[in-house]
């Protein structure tokens, strides 16, 4: 699609960014532009054609691979658009001072004009009496690897995210450790999920954001709102606007797990009533509903069935084969095209290793797909509704959940993962005083 008609940078605002892309928004749409390391800025890392191909690959991967695996009701793949270069340049100047300092080691691509146009998931189309409230969670990996594939026992006891926290604090990436554990969020147990959300609010890092009226009010900022001023902003949605801080926090945390573990229902049909009185948290663990957004993500993450350590010999088999037969790269669809055949090969992978190159490729592709599911975000929209029939202190919410950031992970990312895994686990073991 060509967006040559008047694009006015004044209409578009900085919305957020990740490690790979920067997002601007205008009403019901967002544009997602690629970023690259500022060290490469002088010699743009790819040609314009390569950037467009990369964007098309992202859309194909989302449409033909991730959407069938996760459920098309959750996934919006968007479309590639060509923006006027002057618009992109003005935009990059305009957004610069809104960007968090720690993200500025990368710059926005101003050379290609390529962008992904997506629906703005933080501004739902349903009219609401309060500005819509959205919660974004980057849940990370929700399971422990099985002991048969890992060389270090600790990997079957402490989850990867928690081990990585220690590494990130030691290396200065974050000042404070987050107590968030993905195993809590994915447990399906209300009490554990409650704690997961509470810990995300307290130390969001890049795993948690809250948007009010389409604007990010918590998470991924240089300066964070204090919890009390955050609660001030959330108060109108809970306890009929006059709740104490503690109640507002409690109610907010209660709502979020309901949103991520309920099976999907159309947003305008059956609202889930949330009782404003303190709800007893279940004592019994409840398995995550398979059809819920979290359940779906976990199933795709589990395609990483061998752990990076078990995968490595298969990755080596693929690399050696490609070294000898470089032309086979395209037949084996190593870097795409991400079409129906790609998904089929990955799904029809035999359970046992038959020594073939096809088996090794399929396992590596399953791992890459799982990595995408470990890195994606969930955007939950909480649509407030007053429960008219019940004049008491009850508020009702409808939920809609989407999954975003479903880019394919590159083949050579497997190597990087293996090195990182080794560093994270070794650093954890070095610091761990062990059982006393
Ligand atoms: P990561 O570092 O997690 O891989 P990324 O660079 O791939 O991130 P995204 O996660 O896709 O980038 O986008 C960055 C941020 O922009 C998201 O965390 C989210 O807050 C916002 N965003 C992205 N897509 C949308 C959308 N369709 N609607 C609303 N906000 C969005
Ligand atoms: Mg992201
Ligand atoms: Mg990403």
């Amino acid at each position: 699609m060509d967006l040559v008609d008047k694009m006015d940078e004044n209409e578009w605002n900085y919305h957020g960014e990740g490690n790979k892309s920067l997002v601007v928004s205008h009403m019901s749409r967002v544009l997602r532009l690629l970023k690259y390391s500022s060290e490469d800025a002088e010699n743009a890392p790819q040609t314009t054609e390569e950037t467009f191909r990369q964007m098309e690959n992202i859309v194909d991967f989302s449409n033909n691979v991730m959407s069938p695996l996760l459920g098309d009701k959750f996934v919006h793949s968007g479309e590639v658009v060509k923006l006027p270069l002057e618009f992109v340049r003005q935009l990059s100047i305009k957004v610069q001072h809104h960007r968090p300092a720690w993200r500025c080691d990368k710059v926005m691509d101003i050379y290609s004009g390529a962008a992904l146009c997506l629906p703005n998931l933080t501004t739902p189309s349903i009219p609401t009496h309060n500005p819509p409230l959205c919660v974004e969670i980057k849940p990370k990996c929700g399971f422990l690897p099985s002991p048969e594939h890992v060389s270090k026992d600790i990997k079957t006891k402490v989850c990867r995210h928690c081990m990585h926290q220690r590494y990130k604090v030691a290396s200065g990436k974050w000042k404070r450790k987050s107590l968030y554990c993905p195993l809590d969020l994915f447990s399906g147990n209300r009490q554990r999920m409650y704690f997961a959300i509470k810990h995300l609010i307290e130390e969001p890092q890049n795993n948690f954001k809250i948007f009010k009226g389409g604007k990010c009010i918590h998470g991924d900022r240089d300066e964070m709102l204090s919890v009390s001023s955050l609660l001030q902003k959330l108060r109108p949605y809970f306890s009929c606007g006059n709740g104490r801080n503690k109640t507002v926090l409690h109610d907010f945390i209660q709502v979020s797990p309901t949103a991520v573990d309920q099976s999907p229902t159309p947003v305008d049909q059956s609202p889930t009533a949330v009782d404003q009185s303190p709800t007893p948290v279940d004592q019994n663990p409840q398995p995550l509903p398979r059809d819920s957004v979290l359940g779906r993500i976990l199933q795709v993450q589990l395609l990483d069935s061998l752990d990076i350590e078990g995968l490595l010999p298969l990755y080596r088999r693929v690399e050696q084969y490609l070294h000898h037969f470089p032309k086979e790269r395209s037949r084996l669809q190593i870097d795409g095209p991400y079409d129906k055949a790609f998904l089929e090969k990955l799904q029809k992978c035999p359970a046992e290793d038959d020594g073939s190159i096809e088996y090794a490729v399929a396992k590596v592709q399953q791992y890459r797909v799982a990595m995408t599911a470990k890195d994606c975000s969930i955007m939950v929209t909480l649509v407030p509704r007053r429960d008219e029939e019940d004049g008491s202190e009850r508020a009702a919410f409808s939920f809609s959940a989407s999954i975003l950031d479903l880019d394919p992970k590159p083949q050579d990312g497997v190597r990087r993962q293996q090195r990182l895994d080794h560093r994270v686990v070794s650093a954890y073991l070095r610091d761990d005083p062990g059982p006393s």
Side-chain angles (χ1 to χ4, degrees):
M1 188 172 111
D2 242 348
L3 275 190
V4 281
D5 52 324
K6 291 189 195 70
M7 290 291 289
D8 182 354
E9 68 276 1
N10 296 310
E11 291 179 343
W12 293 84
N13 293 309
Y14 177 78
H15 183 75
E17 65 190 283
N19 189 35
K20 247 187 69 183
S21 48
L22 187 145
V23 176
V24 293
S25 62
H26 172 48
M27 304 215 279
S28 62
R29 284 196 298 180
V30 304
L31 295 172
R32 185 176 186 250
L33 296 108
L34 289 177
K35 307 198 304 186
Y36 51 83
S37 165
S38 51
E39 283 155 29
D40 303 331
E42 255 123 66
N43 38 353
Q46 333 190 71
T47 64
T48 298
E49 293 72 48
E50 280 165 347
T51 307
F52 273 93
R53 201 166 319 123
Q54 187 184 348
M55 289 270 184
E56 297 286 359
N57 259 347
I58 291 175
V59 174
D60 288 347
F61 188 74
S62 176
N63 258 331
N64 301 326
V65 183
M66 297 313 289
S67 176
L69 291 171
L70 292 167
D72 56 8
K73 50 192 165 299
F74 296 125
V75 179
H76 312 267
S77 305
E79 57 178 339
V80 182
V81 293
K82 186 168 176 52
L83 301 167
L85 288 184
E86 190 48 31
F87 166 76
V88 180
R89 292 206 179 110
Q90 294 301 330
L91 196 61
S92 83
I93 297 168
K94 181 181 169 181
V95 300
Q96 191 53 37
H97 69 280
H98 296 283
R99 301 181 58 199
W102 73 277
R103 292 283 195 191
C104 289
D105 58 326
K106 295 209 174 151
V107 293
M108 189 179 123
D109 163 32
I110 53 166
Y111 298 108
S112 72
L116 215 62
C117 184
L118 294 151
N120 185 348
L121 300 169
T122 63
T123 56
S125 46
I126 318 120
T128 56
H129 57 265
N130 273 327
L133 202 58
C134 287
V135 177
E136 180 181 343
I137 304 173
K138 184 174 171 125
K140 303 301 288 188
C141 182
F143 71 96
L144 293 169
S146 92
E148 76 188 281
H149 303 294
V150 303
S151 59
K152 298 279 189 289
D153 198 35
I154 192 77
K155 285 172 75 173
T156 65
K157 298 197 166 70
V158 180
C159 96
R160 168 52 187 268
H161 175 82
C162 292
M163 280 199 265
H164 208 169
Q165 275 297 308
R166 197 179 277 186
Y167 182 76
K168 284 178 175 171
V169 174
S171 65
K173 173 155 186 186
W174 302 115
K175 287 203 192 77
R176 292 197 304 169
K177 200 168 103 179
S178 152
L179 297 178
Y180 165 67
C181 175
L183 302 185
D184 287 336
L185 188 71
F186 283 97
S187 67
N189 172 308
R190 276 306 153 114
Q191 188 157 26
R192 291 182 65 187
M193 293 173 89
Y194 182 98
F195 279 113
I197 305 285
K198 185 166 185 286
H199 292 143
L200 285 169
I201 295 175
E202 288 166 352
E203 193 62 33
Q205 296 186 351
N206 64 341
N207 300 98
F208 190 73
K209 290 182 204 170
I210 302 174
F211 293 86
K212 183 178 172 178
K215 223 173 146 280
C216 181
I217 58 164
H218 189 60
D220 215 8
R221 318 259 92 189
D222 280 337
E223 305 213 352
M224 270 221 321
L225 280 184
S226 67
V227 170
S228 69
S229 40
L230 170 68
L231 294 176
Q232 201 68 38
K233 296 195 180 212
L234 297 179
R235 180 162 297 132
Y237 299 84
F238 299 95
S239 307
C240 298
N242 51 20
R244 288 173 299 125
N245 270 358
K246 219 174 142 187
T247 327
V248 173
L249 183 65
H250 175 84
D251 290 347
F252 176 71
I253 300 175
Q254 284 288 336
V255 166
S256 307
T258 313
V260 285
D261 83 354
Q262 70 161 358
S263 294
T265 45
V267 79
D268 52 349
Q269 282 178 16
S270 44
T272 304
V274 177
D275 197 331
Q276 294 290 285
S277 59
T279 317
V281 262
D282 339 330
Q283 298 307 314
N284 300 324
Q286 291 219 325
L288 215 48
R290 277 177 79 83
D291 250 5
S292 66
V293 69
L294 275 181
R296 288 298 192 105
I297 291 174
L298 184 60
Q299 284 164 57
V300 180
Q301 291 183 351
L302 284 163
L303 285 173
D304 166 17
S305 56
L306 302 175
D307 189 73
I308 184 71
E309 293 185 64
L311 184 80
L312 206 61
L314 297 170
Y315 176 76
R316 287 207 191 98
R317 186 189 300 170
V318 177
E319 287 301 289
Q320 260 169 28
Y321 183 83
L322 293 176
H323 179 74
H324 292 297
F325 310 102
K327 287 194 181 135
E328 284 281 276
R329 202 172 176 95
S330 86
R331 180 185 70 85
L332 293 168
Q333 295 186 266
I334 301 293
D335 319 293
Y338 300 116
D339 53 12
K340 287 199 175 67
F342 179 93
L343 178 63
E344 246 164 58
K345 280 190 239 174
L346 176 157
Q347 284 177 318
K348 286 193 180 140
C349 175
E352 295 295 320
D353 185 3
D354 54 6
S356 68
I357 182 65
E358 281 75 15
Y359 175 83
V361 169
K363 287 314 277 187
V364 173
Q365 304 298 34
Q366 285 184 354
Y367 177 83
R368 287 170 57 195
V369 166
M371 288 310 289
T372 296
K374 292 180 190 183
D375 247 2
C376 69
S377 289
I378 305 168
M379 188 76 85
V380 186
T381 309
L382 311 177
V383 182
R385 295 176 155 219
R386 286 275 168 264
D387 203 332
E388 303 293 340
E389 286 145 46
D390 185 348
S392 68
E393 303 281 285
R394 273 173 78 90
F397 285 93
S398 310
F399 306 111
S400 70
S402 309
I403 306 174
L404 52 106
D405 196 358
L406 296 171
D407 297 358
K409 301 290 174 189
Q411 174 84 359
D412 60 10
V414 173
R415 261 275 172 241
R416 265 201 308 281
Q417 278 303 326
Q418 187 265 328
R419 286 195 295 265
L420 182 63
D421 184 69
H422 182 74
R423 280 204 301 274
V424 167
V425 176
S426 313
Y428 189 87
L429 287 173
R430 229 179 2 255
D431 287 350
D432 190 10
S436 49

